[in-house]
Amino acid sequence: MTWTSIEERTLFYDQVAGDKPTMVFIHGWANNHTVWDTVIDRLPYHTVVYDLQGHGRSSQDVDTFSFESLVEDLMTIIETAPHREICLVGHSLGGMIALHALHHLVPDHLVLIDSSATNIHSSSRWLDEPIQRFTQWENDHEFKDLSTCDDNVDAFLQGLQDTNPEIAKKCMSLMRRNKKGIPQAPPDIRPLLIRGAKDSVLRVTHHDSLTAYFTDYEESFLPTDHNPHVERPVRTAAIIENYVES
């Protein structure tokens, strides 16, 4: 477990040694790095997880929170990687950060989980009361892989409860301007798009913005809500490994 500083910000990150490529996991809003634990435990690669600013153990200062600073943080985290072959894995807001980072880096592999290449407006009411919404979500869902992901689910829900409300508002503001910061033309890369078939957060049009943006892609559907890596972490890990090895 390590901290790194960028200007006035401090970021928490952790690494697990393994084979190349280096996989950098970018969590979504109101989460933290621990939501990836069950996924990375099943991957043979070198993995790097970190807490976005305003989340988890990283700096909580909302004044620096912007797509530009989030991308700067990601690029700093990538510099810690021992392998130059890079795979970015981003969920929701984390996927948007990965898309914005394409101005600076073309990764060897790119995995986007329930993310979007356009602006997010429709989920604003849902985001107004995140804790209440996810408490209901927890009650409504029959979690799969429970023998292996109890801790994952607990960490996920705890992350929601620990999130600074001002950061939640900042996240919503960023996602309303998401499309503006993405390169107009996609790089020469074939991403993996993982979609929760029962996603109650993003509309189909948000998902379809990714298939319209990339000229070629691999797509996988899981019978989950907005968090396949939490609801089906074992299957998610297998899909990612198959993509990297193909």
Side-chain angles (χ1 to χ4, degrees), residues 19-144:
D19 299 331
K20 63 180 182 181
T22 292
M23 307 195 76
V24 180
F25 290 82
I26 316 164
H27 66 76
W29 81 277
N31 289 180
N32 59 60
H33 73 280
T34 60
V35 297
W36 300 110
D37 285 353
T38 308
V39 174
I40 65 177
D41 283 349
R42 283 158 176 78
L43 294 172
Y45 314 112
H46 189 99
T47 57
V48 183
V49 294
Y50 71 106
D51 289 336
L52 300 178
Q53 56 181 280
H55 296 73
R57 304 184 189 182
S58 292
S59 292
Q60 299 294 309
D61 187 356
V62 299
D63 293 337
T64 62
F65 198 82
S66 66
F67 267 127
E68 291 77 14
S69 64
L70 289 166
V71 169
E72 183 181 10
D73 294 347
L74 172 60
M75 298 305 295
T76 299
I77 293 296
I78 290 173
E79 287 300 315
T80 70
H83 308 302
R84 291 301 89 193
E85 184 181 346
I86 299 294
C87 175
L88 297 182
V89 183
H91 167 246
S92 197
L93 173 63
M96 300 175 203
I97 295 169
L99 289 172
H100 283 245
L102 296 179
H103 283 291
H104 309 279
L105 167 77
V106 179
D108 299 276
H109 314 279
L110 176 63
V111 181
L112 302 173
I113 303 175
D114 279 341
S115 194
S116 176
T118 192
N119 300 327
I120 307 283
H121 295 284
S122 62
S123 52
S124 58
R125 187 174 67 176
W126 179 88
L127 290 172
D128 286 339
E129 298 179 345
I131 306 306
Q132 294 90 329
R133 176 66 183 86
F134 269 87
T135 299
Q136 188 62 45
W137 180 83
E138 180 187 23
N139 294 334
D140 288 348
H141 284 71
E142 177 187 356
F143 285 102
K144 305 301 180 181

Side-chain angles (χ1 to χ4, degrees), residues 28-30 52-55 65 67 70 93 96 120 127 163-177:
W29 81 277
L52 300 178
Q53 56 181 280
H55 296 73
F65 198 82
F67 267 127
L70 289 166
L93 173 63
M96 300 175 203
I120 307 283
L127 290 172
T163 297
N164 182 336
E166 290 302 312
I167 289 294
K169 293 178 183 178
K170 286 272 190 175
C171 286
M172 191 65 248
S173 177
L174 290 188
M175 289 188 283
R176 287 180 177 137
R177 307 190 307 272

Side-chain angles (χ1 to χ4, degrees), residues 30-38 131 134-135 137-139 143-163 227 229-231 233:
N31 289 180
N32 59 60
H33 73 280
T34 60
V35 297
W36 300 110
D37 285 353
T38 308
I131 306 306
F134 269 87
T135 299
W137 180 83
E138 180 187 23
N139 294 334
F143 285 102
K144 305 301 180 181
D145 301 334
L146 276 180
S147 61
T148 57
C149 74
D150 279 342
D151 291 343
N152 229 34
V153 173
D154 288 344
F156 171 71
L157 295 171
Q158 188 63 49
L160 286 164
Q161 295 172 16
D162 292 344
T163 297
N227 300 273
H229 57 304
V230 175
E231 297 173 68

